């Protein structure tokens, strides 16, 4: 329908009265607005003339036309802003994750990242961009990056896979959504760890109608419990190399038991290789997928913790029998990741910088973990028990007494110590209580002690209540 001067007049009058356009705001020239709306200039001139006549606009010659600076619009009471109250637990976790502070979970050592090398690779990738790379990105991912990831997984994680099996995605949740969309049927039983990665749990709760939990102990997922209670499961989501959040490793007997069950029951194991690259006191453990003779494991990895969270590049290894299902589903729900970023990451891997960075981080994180452990013992000698595991990017300080980790975490968070309460990661009444503490960005022993002393007084007062 053709726009007339009355339409233009009514639109501007409404925007001024509603506060969208404020006194002094400049409006487009007659020519620009006429071209934009594809109407005659006379139409815009007529609308503007009425608005000027009513005092809504003023013409200032060469300075253009503006909303009358002397206009006074009576302020209307606006409805109260919407607040996020539907899931206060999730909101609290999002705030801790996204707000700046110390002891944050899952943030790599930003001060030790090879920025200069990354900048050189970025510049090289930009200069080498071709016209073909400026069109739609490859759905499954940039081929050189898929090849580089396949080589890395073969060498460092013990997998036997090809570039054809690698699917580049935009993060953990993209991986999980793609897997379930490609392979799950309505009503399929999905089992995940308890406790488990809280954002993954939230996604599963919203997307899976038949969701169940299996407990985790010092040997990882309790596979006996799984087989006794959920042998009919179609999917099991697991973090076997370094459990999130308890930091334990799935024992070899349980790995074999789980793989045998999956093969016998035509079930899928979704392996999230959480922190799998960071083991300190022994060789890096091979992934569960490396033992997968029957090709029942769907392996997920990400560069969020090894490079940077802002990269938003992850990947999964598709079993060969599922390639068509993933491709067809991807055409519907995926759009491909930016080629430029993938080119930079591919160069980072192919030129050896990624391997050198990981080696450096393993040594650095071991040092920084010890600083936090020593500081905890010095400042709170009688409050926590810490079970030191072989690697990872966080520790759990278990409360020796009481169940008030949520309140204690809130006390620390108010002092910019972005710890998480362990009990919030459980989905049962049987819980353990403590604080999940990141240590990767602690630069000195003095800093570790100073940060904990920030909350020493309030923590001791909390203990008395």
């Amino acid at each position: 329908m053709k726009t007339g001067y009355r339409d233009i007049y009514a639109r501007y009058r409404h925007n001024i009265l509603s506060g969208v356009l404020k006194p002094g705001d400049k409006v487009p020239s007659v020519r620009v607005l006429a071209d934009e709306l594809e109407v005659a200039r006379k139409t815009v001139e007529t609308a503007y003339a009425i608005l000027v006549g009513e005092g809504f606009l003023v013409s200032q010659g060469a300075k253009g036309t503006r909303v009358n600076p002397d206009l006074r619009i009576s302020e209307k009471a606006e409805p109260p802003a919407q607040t996020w109250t539907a899931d206060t637990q999730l909101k609290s976790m999002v705030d801790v994750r996204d707000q700046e502070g110390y002891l944050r979970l899952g943030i790599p050592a930003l001060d030790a990242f090879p920025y200069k090398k990354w900048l050189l690779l970025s510049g090289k990738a930009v200069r080498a961009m071709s016209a073909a790379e400026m069109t739609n990105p490859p759905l499954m991912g940039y081929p050189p990056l898929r090849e580089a990831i396949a080589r890395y997984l073969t060498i460092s994680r013990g997998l036997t896979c090809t570039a054809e099996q690698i699917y580049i995605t935009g993060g953990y949740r993209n991986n999980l959504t793609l897997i379930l969309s490609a392979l799950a049927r309505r009503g399929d039983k999905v089992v995940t760890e308890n406790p488990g990665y809280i954002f993954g749990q939230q996604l599963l709760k919203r997307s899976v109608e038949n969701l169940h939990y299996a407990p985790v102990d010092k040997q990882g997922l309790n596979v006996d419990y799984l087989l006794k209670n959920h042998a009919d499961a179609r999917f099991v989501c697991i973090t076997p190399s370094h459990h999130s959040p308890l930091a334990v490793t799935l024992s070899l007997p349980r790995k074999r038991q789980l793989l045998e069950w999956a093969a016998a029951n035509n079930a899928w194991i979704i392996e999230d290789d959480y922190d799998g690259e960071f083991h300190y006191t022994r060789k890096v453990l091979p992934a569960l997928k490396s033992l997968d003779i029957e090709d029942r494991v769907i392996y997920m990895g990400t560069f969020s913790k090894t490079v940077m969270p802002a990269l938003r590049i992850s990947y999964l290894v598709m079993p060969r029998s599922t390639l068509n299902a993933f491709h067809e589903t991807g055409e519907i729900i995926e759009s491909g990741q930016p080629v430029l970023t993938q080119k930079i990451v591919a160069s980072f891997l192919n030129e050896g910088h990624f391997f050198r960075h990981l080696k450096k981080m393993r040594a650095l994180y071991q040092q920084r973990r010890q600083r936090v452990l020593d500081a905890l013992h010095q400042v709170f000698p009688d409050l926590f028990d810490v079970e030191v595991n072989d690697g990872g990017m966080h520790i759990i300080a278990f409360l020796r007494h009481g169940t008030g980790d949520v309140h204690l975490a809130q006390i620390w968070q108010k002092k910019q110590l972005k710890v998480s309460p362990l009990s919030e990661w459980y989905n049962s009444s049987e819980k353990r209580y403590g604080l999940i503490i990141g240590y990767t960005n602690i630069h000195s022993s003095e800093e570790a002690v100073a940060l904990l002393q920030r909350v020493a007084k309030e923590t001791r007062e909390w203990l008395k209540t």
Side-chain angles (χ1 to χ4, degrees), residues 423-424 426-433:
S423 64
E424 294 278 87
Y426 281 85
N427 283 278
S428 66
S429 58
E430 295 184 9
K431 302 179 179 183
R432 300 183 73 181
Y433 298 86

Side-chain angles (χ1 to χ4, degrees), residues 70-238:
D70 298 324
L71 192 63
R72 295 292 176 262
I73 305 297
S74 58
E75 295 186 3
K76 297 181 180 179
E78 295 185 1
Q82 290 289 318
T83 57
W84 187 2
T85 58
D87 194 329
T88 55
Q89 179 198 30
L90 179 59
K91 181 181 185 302
S92 175
M93 296 304 300
V94 169
D95 289 343
V96 171
R97 181 196 65 191
D98 293 344
Q99 293 176 1
E100 290 192 10
Y102 301 92
L103 307 180
R104 294 173 68 188
L105 178 65
I107 305 298
L110 303 179
D111 62 309
F113 184 74
Y115 291 100
K116 291 184 179 179
K117 181 57 64 177
W118 188 264
L119 182 62
L120 289 173
L121 295 176
S122 300
K124 183 178 179 181
V126 171
R127 291 190 294 272
M129 283 291 286
S130 65
E133 293 170 347
M134 298 171 69
T135 59
N136 292 327
L139 180 68
M140 310 286 278
Y142 180 58
L145 178 58
R146 296 172 71 190
E147 293 168 2
I149 291 174
R151 286 193 295 270
Y152 161 70
L153 294 176
T154 300
I155 296 170
S156 295
R157 305 302 295 128
L159 274 65
T160 301
C161 63
T162 64
E164 182 187 28
Q165 294 174 262
I166 305 298
Y167 200 126
I168 308 297
T169 68
Y172 167 85
R173 280 164 281 187
N174 290 64
N175 274 340
L176 197 54
T177 299
L178 179 59
I179 291 169
L180 294 176
S181 298
L183 302 179
R185 298 185 296 265
R186 185 179 180 86
D188 279 349
K189 179 183 284 190
V190 178
V191 177
T192 190
E193 298 167 316
N194 184 36
Y197 176 51
I198 194 164
F199 292 105
Q201 289 186 31
Q202 294 289 343
L203 175 59
L204 289 172
K205 287 177 183 178
R206 287 160 171 76
S207 58
V208 175
E209 63 183 33
N210 192 7
L211 179 64
H212 299 268
Y213 302 91
V216 173
D217 57 30
K218 292 184 179 181
Q219 296 185 62
L221 182 76
N222 189 328
V223 181
D224 285 336
Y225 178 94
L226 170 71
L227 300 186
K228 180 180 179 181
N229 297 278
H230 303 295
D232 59 338
R234 182 100 193 285
F235 297 88
V236 172
C237 303
I238 186 172

Side-chain angles (χ1 to χ4, degrees), residues 101-104 111 368 371-372 374-376 378-379 416-417 438-455:
Y102 301 92
L103 307 180
R104 294 173 68 188
D111 62 309
R368 294 186 172 184
R371 291 169 185 166
V372 174
D374 292 343
L376 281 170
Q378 177 180 334
V379 180
Q416 298 305 305
L417 305 187
Y439 53 75
T440 51
N441 284 282
I442 298 300
H443 305 108
S444 67
S445 299
E446 292 76 15
E447 181 186 28
V449 172
L451 289 174
L452 295 184
Q453 285 177 338
R454 282 187 183 187
V455 294

Side-chain angles (χ1 to χ4, degrees), residues 234-270:
R234 182 100 193 285
F235 297 88
V236 172
C237 303
I238 186 172
T239 52
S241 295
H242 188 249
H243 177 261
S244 171
L246 295 180
V248 297
T249 298
L250 187 66
S251 66
L252 182 58
R254 289 188 179 183
K255 288 180 179 179
R256 296 192 179 281
Q257 188 182 13
L258 186 62
L259 290 169
E260 289 171 2
W261 162 80
N265 291 273
N266 199 33
W268 297 109
I269 301 169
I270 302 175

